[in-house]
Amino acid sequence: MLKVNAAITILLENSRRLVQSEEINLIDATGRALACDIIAPIDVPPADNSAMDGYAIRFNDWSDAQTGIPMSQRVTAGSVPTELIPGSAARIFTGAEVPPGADTVVMQEHCEEVEGGVRILKQPALGANIRRRGQDLSTGQKVLAAGQRLRAQDLGLAASLGIARVPVFRRLKVAVMSTGDELREPGDDIQPGQIYNSNRYTMKSQLAAWGCEVVDLGVARDDPERVSEMMLLAAERADVIISSGGVSVGEEDHVKAVVDELGAIDLWRIAIKPGKPFAFGQVRGTPFIGLPGNPVSVFVTLLVIARPYLFACQGIADTAVQPVRHTALFEKKASPREDYLRVRATDSGVELFSNQSSGVLFSTTWGDGLVRQKPDEEIQEGALVDFIPYAIFN
Ligand code: AMP
Ligand code: MG
């Protein structure tokens, strides 16, 4: 069976960016993948300005200023100063541009206003309290890279450069379908033999959080005809198809056979726990990801296996996930598959949820992340393990 890393690599090798770029307003760009590098068009700040409320002087005038020098102008933030008359001081406020000729700002706490002027009580350092033009960003500097997902601070940075519109990749359209005769929707009554469809909600919510546009196709009954119809519709309407259930080995598992007939299954079964029956292929040329049916398997394989592929399809450059090392507060026998354990982090280490069954969805909400247990490696209590907080998958 294919190892987890090998499966991720195969998916990535088969991936290509499926979306064109578009230009949108900066204010709407949170979470979107940047389509081009952003180069600073101006210096930030655009001019030397004061870091303090105080008095701007020429440093050479400092000794005269001990006894008092006249105040020749008042510069507030947003106003334009004039050349500082030698032997005088300018009253200045935080963010105000430093008058040409002034080279030092003395904070007001070190000054005393006197009749018509100001006395400086403490020797300043040359150049003190001046924020230099371009000290944050300088013209021509690459400030944001193509392929990065824009965060709050990235939007702020672009705004500081006066950039109002940004080139981003169009949202990836992902068709989502669930399979199973037993499924009913929340809000409906359930009869004996039926359960509520949870995978649909897990998948839609996670995909939306990753910036995808979800084409929700609902549920296909366990009938090859129905599955086939829905697959063809999905292939037509979306960039990528994701299904849950029906990819295992039971007689009512039709997804794999249908995809094989309409397109191809290129990969099936991964040495991962939970989530072994994961499938990957295409339907009429549209990439297909077949998640298992068990709700925890859906969640784990979506995060671990599908995520890097979906990111690459969206034009996101960095798809890697970096676990953090944390102390195991439990022991766990070795298993031949790579096991993603649902855990909760505490100050002293990570605790294991008591039931690691792939059907126990509560294991995913009880805690904060997954511990990756490598195949054939036992976890001893007190050992350092790879912990991946859920937030890292965002
Ligand atoms: P399957 O792979 O279709 O045999 O499904 C495996 C298990 O997951 C079965 O117990 C199904 O009832 C359950 N399951 C499949 N799809 C869903 C779903 N959308 N929501 C909740 N449970 C599901
Ligand atoms: Mg099923």
Side-chain angles (χ1 to χ4, degrees), residues 1 48 50 54 92 105 116 131 138 160 163 167 215 234 237 240 258 261-262 282 291 296 323 343 356 366 369 371 375:
M1 226 184 308
D48 291 358
S50 180
I92 195 163
V105 169
R131 301 192 286 218
S138 55
S160 78
I163 293 167
V215 180
R237 305 225 330 233
V240 178
V258 164
E261 196 194 304
L262 298 176
Q282 48 88 10
L291 303 179
V296 183
V343 300
Q356 294 287 320
W366 171 85
V371 159

Side-chain angles (χ1 to χ4, degrees), residues 65-135:
Q66 284 178 286
T67 50
I69 49 173
M71 203 113 70
S72 57
Q73 61 176 308
R74 186 168 183 275
V75 200
T76 55
S79 68
V80 182
T82 56
E83 166 108 25
L84 184 68
I85 297 167
S88 79
R91 178 72 169 124
I92 195 163
F93 300 93
T94 305
E97 289 191 7
V98 175
D103 55 18
T104 301
V105 169
V106 188
M107 63 198 286
Q108 65 187 32
E109 290 82 346
H110 294 165
C111 301
E112 181 183 59
E113 290 213 12
V114 292
E115 186 70 37
V118 62
R119 277 184 60 207
I120 295 175
L121 311 173
K122 190 164 181 271
Q123 178 169 7
L126 173 63
N129 301 317
I130 295 180
R131 301 192 286 218
R132 295 290 169 198
R133 169 181 182 155
Q135 76 164 32

Side-chain angles (χ1 to χ4, degrees), residues 248-268:
S248 196
V249 292
E251 281 150 46
E252 296 300 333
D253 291 332
H254 303 295
V255 171
K256 217 174 109 266
V258 164
V259 171
D260 223 357
E261 196 194 304
L262 298 176
I265 293 286
D266 299 319
L267 178 161
W268 182 54

Side-chain angles (χ1 to χ4, degrees), residues 149-162:
R149 285 162 91 212
L150 296 169
R151 305 160 297 174
Q153 62 267 45
D154 301 320
L155 264 63
L157 192 80
S160 78
L161 290 164

Side-chain angles (χ1 to χ4, degrees), residues 329-341:
L329 299 178
F330 59 90
E331 55 180 22
K332 178 82 177 34
K333 285 208 184 74
S335 117
R337 290 184 266 158
E338 189 160 300
D339 206 337
Y340 285 82
L341 307 167

Side-chain angles (χ1 to χ4, degrees), residues 173-185:
K173 264 193 214 165
V174 184
V176 169
M177 68 170 90
S178 324
T179 67
D181 284 345
E182 72 278 34
L183 302 177
R184 287 295 175 273
E185 292 303 313

